[in-house]
C-alpha cells in the first residue's frame, strides 16, 4: 500500500496525475470511515504522511493553500489523539514540521556511493579522531620493516597484488585484512600472536634473521620526509634473502616472466650511496630505533612498532545537562505563570520560558496552562495571559499552530471545566477574540472545530467579543472575507434562515447579515406604504450606502416588488388567475410596475451587472410560481419599454451560464424568440448609425 501511494505521488510530481486526483486521494486517507475506530486508521495516516512527503511541495501553493490548511488542521487534531499509536502520531508531527520548514528535510543526505581512499582518511580523522598517514610515492613504502629489503620474497609478493585495499588497511592500527590462514597482517594487528611460532614472524616485525647475526646496524640510515611523503635511503651491503621461486603461487606470476627470473634483491631506488643522500635539516631527521633478536629460548615479543603513528583524538565532548522531564516542565510553567499574573512582568516570564529549554511539542501544553490558570481570575489577569501568549508569538517561541493545539486541548476539557467555572465559554471567547485581533489565528481556523454547533454558542460569543474589541464594520468585513457558512455554525436543528436570523438577533449579531433582515422587513414596509418616496426614504435610512450597489440587495429589492405586485393582482387564495389573467389585471400589473419604476431606475441605472441580477430575481419569482404562461415575457417587455433594463443586460442574461438560480432553461424557452428579435433590432440600429 505504501509503495502504491509513493508511486501515485511520483506520478503527481511528473504532472502525470492531475492535482484534483491527488487531493481526492488525500481526502480519502484523512476521512474517518464508518464503523472504523480511530485506532485502526494507522495505515491510512501512514500513507497520508507518505504522499505528503512525496508530492506535498507541489500541492502547497497559493491556490490550494486553504485546502492544505484544512488537511494539516485535521492532522494536527489527530496528532493529539491518544487512540493512535505513538509511531503514527510522530509521523504526523514530522510531516507537519516538514511543511513548517518549507518542505526542506531536516538533514541533507550525502551521496552514499563509493569513496576514494583520500575521502576515507578524511572521514576517519573527522568522525573517529584517527589519523591515517598518506601513502608513500610509487616504489616506496612507509612500512620500513615489512616492505624493506628484509622482507622475504614470498611475503612481499603476497602483499603487493592487493593494491590499494591493502595499502588502506595496512596503515590502520590493529587492522588486518580478514582472518585465517594466508591472511595479511600488520605489525599493529592483535592477531599476530597466533604466528609467534612461525619462522616468518619470529623476532621483531616478522623479519628473518640469520643465526650468526642478532642485530642490524641501521641507526645511521637516515629517514626523510619530503613533500609530505616519506622516502627511505638504505646503504649497500644489506642482507639478501634466498627463496624458492618454485614455491610462489601461480597467481603471483607476472606475465612474460619465469619465477626464476624474478630478482630477489631490492630495487635500485633503495640502494644508494651515502654520498647520494642529500643533507637533511635536523628537524626533518628521524632515526629508527635499533631492533634486537631475543636470546634463544626467550619468548619473542609481538612485532609492534616502537614508534607508532600519532593518533589524533577529538576533544572530549562536554556532558550536556539532560532536558527536564514533562513533570518538571509543568511545575516550572505553573510557577512562572503564577508569578507573571501577580506582577505582570512579561520580560521575566519570557526569560523563564527560554531558561526552561522546553521542546516544541510541549509549547501547546504550556499555552494551555497559561489560559487555564487565568480562567478563575480577574478580567485583568485574563488580558495579561492573552498578552503573554502574543509576546511568546513575537519572540518566536510559539506559533499559530501551537495556539490552535492548545485551544483544541482546552475545548476537549470544556465540559469538565464548566462544572467548576460556569462561564468558561465566555472566558474562552475572550481569549479567542484577542488571538484573532493579534493575528495569532484566523476566524475561519477558529470556526472549523466549532462547526455543527460544537460547544454552542461559543462561536457566537467570540463574535460578540470581537465586536466589543473592534467595531461592527470591522467584524462584518472580517466575517465576509472568511466566507464562513453561519448556518453550519448552528446546531443541526437550527440550520435554516429563519431560525438563524432569530438567533443572531438574540445575540445582537444580525448586523452581519443586513440583507437577510432587509428581505424580511422591506416587503412589510411596501405593504404598509407602497409610495415610491416612502420606500426610497426607508431604504436610505436603514440600508448602508455600500449595499446599494450590492447584487444581493438588488435581488431582494426586485423580489419584494414582484411579490407585492403578484399579491395585489392575484391574491394567494386565487392562484388560478395567474395562468389566465384578465385585461383589468394586466393593466393593474402594468400600473403598479410604473409606480415602482423610479425606485428601480434609481438603483439600476447604468449598472448592467445589477440589471442582470434583477432579471435573475424575475426568473426565480416566475419559477416559484411554476412559470405561468406569458408572465416572464410580459415583464421582459415592460422592463424594456419602461427603460428599467437595457438591451445589453438582456443579452448578457441570455449568454450567462451560471447555475446559481433555478429555472434558467424554461425561462429561455419562453423568451428566446423575443430575445432573438431584440438582438436583430439592435444590429439593425447599429448598421443605420454606421451609415
Amino acid at each position: 500500500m505504501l509503495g502504491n501511494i509513493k508511486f501515485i505521488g511520483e506520478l503527481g510530481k511528473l504532472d502525470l496525475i492531475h492535482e484534483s486526483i491527488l487531493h481526492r486521494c488525500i481526502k480519502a486517507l484523512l476521512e474517518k470511515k464508518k464503523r472504523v475506530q480511530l485506532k485502526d486508521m494507522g495505515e491510512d495516516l501512514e500513507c497520508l504522511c507518505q504522499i505528503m512527503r512525496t508530492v506535498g511541495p507541489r500541492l502547497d501553493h497559493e491556490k490550494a493553500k486553504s485546502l492544505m490548511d484544512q488537511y494539516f488542521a485535521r492532522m494536527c487534531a489527530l496528532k493529539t489523539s491518544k487512540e493512535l499509536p505513538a509511531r503514527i502520531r510522530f509521523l504526523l508531527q514530522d510531516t507537519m514540521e516538514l511543511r513548517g520548514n518549507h518542505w526542506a528535510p531536516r538533514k541533507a543526505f550525502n551521496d552514499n556511493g563509493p569513496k576514494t581512499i583520500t575521502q576515507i582518511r578524511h572521514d576517519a580523522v573527522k568522525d573517529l579522531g584517527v589519523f591515517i598517514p598518506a601513502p608513500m610515492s610509487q616504489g616506496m613504502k612507509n612500512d620500513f620493516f615489512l616492505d624493506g629489503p628484509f622482507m622475504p620474497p614470498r611475503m612481499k609478493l603476497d602483499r603487493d597484488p592487493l593494491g590499494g585495499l591493502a595499502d588502506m588497511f595496512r596503515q590502520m592500527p590493529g587492522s588486518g585484512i580478514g582472518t585465517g590462514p594466508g591472511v595479511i597482517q600488520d605489525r599493529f594487528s592483535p592477531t599476530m600472536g597466533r604466528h609467534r611460532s612461525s619462522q616468518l614472524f619470529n623476532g621483531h616485525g616478522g623479519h628473518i634473521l640469520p643465526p650468526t647475526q642478532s642485530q642490524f646496524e641501521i641507526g645511521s640510515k637516515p629517514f626523510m620526509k619530503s613533500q609530505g611523503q616519506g622516502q627511505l635511503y638504505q646503504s649497500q651491503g644489506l642482507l639478501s634473502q634466498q627463496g624458492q621461486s618454485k614455491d610462489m603461487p601461480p597467481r603471483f606470476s607476472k606475465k612474460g616472466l619465469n619465477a626464476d627470473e624474478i630478482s630477489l634483491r631490492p630495487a635500485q631506488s633503495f640502494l644508494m650511496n651515502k654520498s647520494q643522500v642529500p643533507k637533511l635539516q635536523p628537524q626533518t631527521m628521524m632515526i629508527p630505533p635499533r631492533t634486537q633478536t631475543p636470546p634463544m629460548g626467550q619468548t619473542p615479543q609481538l612485532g609492534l612498532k616502537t614508534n607508532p603513528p600519532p593518533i589524533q583524538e577529538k576533544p572530549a565532548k562536554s556532558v550536556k545537562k539532560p532536558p527536564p522531564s514533562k513533570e518538571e516542565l509543568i511545575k516550572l510553567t505553573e510557577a512562572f505563570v503564577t508569578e507573571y499574573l501577580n506582577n505582570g512582568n512579561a520580560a521575566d516570564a519570557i526569560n523563564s520560558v527560554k531558561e526552561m529549554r522546553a521542546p516544541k511539542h510541549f509549547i501547546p501544553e504550556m499555552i494551555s496552562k497559561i489560559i487555564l490558570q487565568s480562567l478563575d481570575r480577574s478580567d485583568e489577569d485574563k488580558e495579561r495571559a492573552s498578552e503573554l501568549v502574543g509576546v511568546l508569538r513575537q519572540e518566536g517561541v510559539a506559533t499559530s499552530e501551537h495556539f490552535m493545539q492548545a485551544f483544541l486541548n482546552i475545548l476537549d476539557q470544556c465540559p469538565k471545566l464548566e462544572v467548576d467555572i460556569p462561564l468558561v465559554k465566555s472566558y474562552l471567547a475572550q481569549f479567542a477574540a484577542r488571538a484573532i485581533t493579534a493575528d495569532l489565528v484566523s476566524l475561519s481556523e477558529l470556526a472549523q472545530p466549532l462547526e455543527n454547533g460544537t460547544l454552542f454558542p461559543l462561536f457566537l460569543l467570540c463574535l460578540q467579543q470581537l465586536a466589543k474589541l473592534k467595531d461592527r464594520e470591522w467584524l462584518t468585513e472580517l466575517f465576509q472575507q472568511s466566507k464562513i457558512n453561519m448556518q453550519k455554525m448552528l446546531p443541526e436543528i437550527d440550520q435554516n434562515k429563519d431560525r438563524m436570523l432569530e438567533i443572531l438577533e438574540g445575540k445582537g449579531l444580525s448586523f452581519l447579515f443586513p440583507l437577510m433582515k432587509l428581505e424580511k422587513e422591506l416587503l412589510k414596509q411596501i405593504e404598509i406604504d407602497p409610495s415610491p418616496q416612502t420606500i426610497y426614504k426607508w431604504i436610505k435610512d436603514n440600508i448602508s450606502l455600500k449595499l446599494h450597489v450590492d447584487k444581493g440587495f438588488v435581488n431582494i429589492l426586485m423580489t419584494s416588488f414582484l411579490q407585492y405586485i403578484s399579491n395585489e393582482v392575484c391574491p394567494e387564495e386565487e392562484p388560478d388567475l395567474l395562468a389566465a389573467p384578465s385585461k383589468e389585471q394586466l393593466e393593474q400589473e402594468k400600473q403598479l410596475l410604473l409606480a415602482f419604476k423610479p425606485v428601480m431606475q434609481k438603483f439600476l441605472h447604468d449598472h448592467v451587472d445589477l440589471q442582470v441580477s434583477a432579471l435573475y430575481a424575475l426568473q426565480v419569482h416566475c419559477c416559484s410560481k411554476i412559470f405561468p404562461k406569458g408572465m416572464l415575457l410580459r415583464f421582459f417587455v415592460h422592463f424594456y419599454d419602461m427603460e428599467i433594463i437595457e438591451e445589453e443586460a438582456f443579452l448578457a442574461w441570455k449568454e450567462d451560464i451560471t447555475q446559481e438560480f433555478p429555472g434558467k432553461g424554461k425561462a429561455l424557452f419562453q423568451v428566446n424568440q423575443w430575445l432573438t428579435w431584440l438582438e436583430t433590432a439592435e444590429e439593425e440600429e447599429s448598421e443605420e448609425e454606421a451609415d
Side-chain angles (χ1 to χ4, degrees), residues 61 147 208 249 289 349 351 414 456 536 538 554 566 579 642 657 664:
H61 51 78
D147 293 325
I208 300 176
N351 290 334
C414 202
F456 181 82
Y536 180 73
W538 184 90
V554 171
S566 295
M642 296 178 187
I657 58 173
K664 181 67 177 287

Side-chain angles (χ1 to χ4, degrees), residues 209 233 384 395 410 421 590 656 674:
L209 300 175
Y233 299 92
R384 281 182 179 177
E395 294 290 331
I410 297 174
I421 309 174
K590 184 177 180 180
D656 193 19
W674 182 82

Side-chain angles (χ1 to χ4, degrees), residues 16 54 88 91 95 122 128 210 212 234 288 329-330 338 353 530 560 616 636 664 676 691:
L16 297 176
T54 305
I88 301 301
L91 273 176
T95 307
H122 290 167
L128 305 177
T212 58
Q234 300 289 345
L329 290 172
I330 292 174
T338 304
V353 171
S560 300
Y616 273 116
F636 266 49
K664 181 67 177 287
T676 304
D691 294 339

Side-chain angles (χ1 to χ4, degrees), residues 144-145 218-223 232 286-291 306:
F144 177 83
F145 294 100
I218 61 174
S220 60
K221 310 303 183 292
F223 178 80
L232 208 57
M286 288 182 61
I287 308 300
R290 296 174 181 270
T291 58
T306 58

